[in-house]
Each structure stands twice: as structure tokens, then as C-alpha cells.
Amino acid sequence: MPWGRVRAVPLTPAVRAAKRAAVDCFGTQVRPLGPLPDDRAVLPPEVLAHFDRDFEVLLDMSGPA
């Protein structure tokens, strides 16, 4: 991993809202399909939390290593 290229990019509230709306489009992944334990959402809350941070982690590959 080229750790020196890792960048945390802050996200505006509007961008965060757009990301939330996009993730919410995948209902079968983020909401239970029914009341039974096997009907639970595929993505658990701790995974979904990564999509709701106020920053995005990117690799900057624009220049020499």
C-alpha cells in the first residue's frame, strides 16, 4: 500500500446526503427483507457507517511515487 499517497478528502453535507441517497437505493442490502433473522440486511450497521463518514479516503496517483 502506498501510504504516502493516501488522502482524506472532506465531504460537504450535500455530498454526504447524495451518498446516503445512493446507498439507500440498494434496499435489499441495507434493510431487512422480512421479520425473520435470516431476512436481515446484508450489510451490517458497522459496514454502513463507513459510507456515512464526513470524509472519503482516496489514493493520489497523480505524480511519481
Side-chain angles (χ1 to χ4, degrees):
M1 173 60 78
W3 292 111
R5 294 179 178 263
V6 173
R7 306 287 182 265
V9 178
L11 301 178
T12 65
V15 169
R16 289 182 70 196
K19 279 183 66 175
R20 270 188 231 106
V23 170
D24 197 49
C25 288
F26 294 90
T28 59
Q29 304 298 302
V30 299
R31 287 184 292 285
L33 297 175
L36 301 175
D38 287 343
D39 294 338
R40 68 186 174 277
V42 173
L43 298 175
E46 60 271 15
V47 172
L48 291 173
H50 290 280
F51 295 107
D52 198 32
R53 298 182 298 195
D54 61 354
F55 64 94
E56 195 72 53
V57 177
L58 305 172
L59 289 178
D60 180 357
M61 303 304 283
S62 63

